[in-house]
Amino acid sequence: MVALSFKQTAVNADQRLTLSGACAATLPEGHSHDVILFGGYHEAPDKQRTCTNAAWIYSAKTGAWEPVQYTSAAVPQPRLVSQAVVINNKLWLIGGWDSSISGPDAFLGDVWTLDLETWAWQRQQLAGNGVLQGISRHQAAAVGQHIYIHTHRTTDHILRLDTSASPPVLEQLPVTGSAPSSRGLHSMVHVNGQLYVLFGAPQKGPMLDDVYRLDLASLTWEDLTGQLSGRKPHPRCSAGVAAVGDKVLVVGGAFYGASGGLEMLQDAYVLDTSSSSWLVPDMAAEQGSSSGGGVASGGMPSARNAAVMVPMRAGAAGGQPQLLLAGGWRAFVETYNDTYLVTLS
């Protein structure tokens, strides 16, 4: 049995944090803050939405977000549905969609690093046999000094970026086994030398509810969908998904309803990779959490998709695994600027 509790933090956050489709990563040990968030679709009070290239850092000590002041002249252009990971003392930003541009140029194939001490950006020129075309709605996961990148194009290979090389080397690695079908807005996490790909939206048709695992030693895919015990989650895309230890937490997301429109999910599941099972956690609000924002009955954040969810550093909750969930979108209704500490026990 597992349990989740949600505690709203960063109450009355800056209106600029009303974001969906941002990307976020856990900051390294020794940093003054715990989580960094970049970009996303900002919704103004008049409901106009624009993408941004701002970054914010969150501190568990203060319970607040602070804007990052960049120190370099060159900065990434605004974007949403991009990917960011932290390796050593750098944030690596990969691709995304600039909604202010029409046509194929709106989809970005660039890679940038942000120095987490000086706050200076640098665009990276890549070597290797891999090609990073304009991409968005993709996934990336850091494993040691490597970043694995999964896009809708990688049904017969996976991209691996070696950040230890100078310049960084992007490789196209052939894969075997039963690979995930083409999709975007899916989720990918790293657990004990394995990459897990969950859910997503194909170019046509309903959302997906499948789970795949890539063994990084053999580069072999395995379809786990029919092997997992427990109650299977509803199909979805744009869910909040993060790994803590051998467990993968899934919160919310969206699917196509009977009318064909997007419907939001207000639920949570835990994939226990050690027992190959889906668990439905007990959920409760922590006492003292503030109302407002998107709090719904039962203490869980209201139904939404395109939120960010990342693990906090170890020890932040007295030894219990804790994650940060922020923002998100109730399709064509509201974008949120709320933030929650999520404790898994």
Side-chain angles (χ1 to χ4, degrees):
M1 179 65 68
V2 293
L4 290 179
S5 61
F6 294 83
K7 181 178 181 180
Q8 193 177 1
T9 181
V11 178
N12 300 321
D14 193 302
Q15 195 275 331
R16 292 173 292 176
L17 279 161
T18 307
L19 296 168
S20 64
C23 54
T26 309
L27 287 166
E29 292 292 338
H31 200 281
S32 60
H33 289 69
D34 297 278
V35 170
I36 183 167
L37 178 150
F38 174 86
Y41 228 174
H42 170 249
E43 184 172 296
D46 63 1
K47 297 298 183 180
Q48 294 297 310
R49 291 190 292 156
T50 56
C51 59
T52 176
N53 63 352
W56 298 78
I57 47 178
Y58 175 84
S59 168
K61 291 181 180 179
T62 64
W65 291 96
E66 298 175 25
V68 172
Q69 303 298 321
Y70 302 146
T71 60
S72 55
V75 298
Q77 68 196 78
R79 66 194 66 199
L80 66 150
V81 286
S82 54
Q83 283 289 292
V85 302
V86 166
I87 296 179
N88 296 332
N89 203 42
K90 288 182 179 178
L91 175 80
W92 290 76
L93 176 69
I94 303 165
W97 171 41
D98 184 344
S99 63
S100 68
I101 298 176
S102 300
D105 289 343
F107 301 101
L108 310 174
D110 52 355
V111 175
W112 292 75
T113 54
L114 176 64
D115 189 298
L116 298 174
E117 292 182 353
T118 66
W119 301 119
W121 283 103
Q122 180 181 1
R123 183 166 182 172
Q124 298 291 329
Q125 302 301 320
L126 307 181
N129 67 356
V131 176
L132 192 63
Q133 301 178 34
I135 54 172
S136 70
R137 303 167 177 86
H138 55 294
Q139 285 290 293
V143 183
Q145 300 297 308
H146 293 129
I147 302 172
Y148 289 86
I149 304 168
H150 186 273
T151 80
H152 66 276
R153 302 184 183 100
T154 53
T155 53
D156 62 352
H157 67 276
I158 194 164
L159 295 171
R160 185 179 70 182
L161 181 61
D162 183 355
T163 68
S164 66
S166 183
V169 174
L170 183 66
E171 301 173 275
Q172 181 174 304
L173 304 178
V175 295
T176 60
S178 179
S181 58
S182 179
R183 66 192 65 200
L185 299 175
H186 51 304
S187 301
M188 183 172 76
V189 295
H190 170 240
V191 180
N192 297 328
Q194 317 275 343
L195 293 179
Y196 288 79
V197 167
L198 308 88
F199 315 125
Q203 189 172 17
K204 295 181 180 179
M207 304 299 181
L208 302 169
D209 62 0
D210 47 12
V211 179
Y212 289 80
R213 180 174 63 197
L214 177 66
D215 179 77
L216 293 178
S218 64
L219 292 177
T220 302
W221 283 106
E222 183 179 6
D223 183 356
L224 301 180
T225 310
Q227 304 178 34
L228 302 174
S229 62
R231 194 170 86 191
K232 187 177 183 180
H234 195 284
R236 68 193 66 206
C237 72
S238 300
V241 177
V244 179
D246 59 3
K247 293 181 172 57
V248 181
L249 176 61
V250 176
V251 176
F255 68 100
Y256 294 127
S259 66
L262 279 177
E263 294 188 18
M264 306 298 106
L265 288 161
Q266 186 202 7
D267 61 359
Y269 287 82
V270 172
L271 173 61
D272 186 338
T273 64
S274 63
S275 63
S276 296
S277 61
W278 283 111
L279 308 174
V280 179
D282 291 332
M283 288 177 285
E286 290 190 14
Q287 295 301 312
S289 62
S290 175
S291 61
V295 179
S297 60
M300 193 178 178
S302 57
R304 65 188 67 191
N305 78 131
V308 298
M309 188 168 69
V310 293
M312 298 289 284
R313 291 200 296 257
Q320 292 181 318
Q322 195 170 62
L323 307 96
L324 192 79
L325 185 149
W329 184 49
R330 188 176 185 91
F332 308 107
V333 176
E334 183 177 5
T335 302
Y336 299 102
N337 76 339
D338 49 2
T339 302
Y340 297 86
L341 289 175
V342 187
T343 303
L344 179 65
S345 59

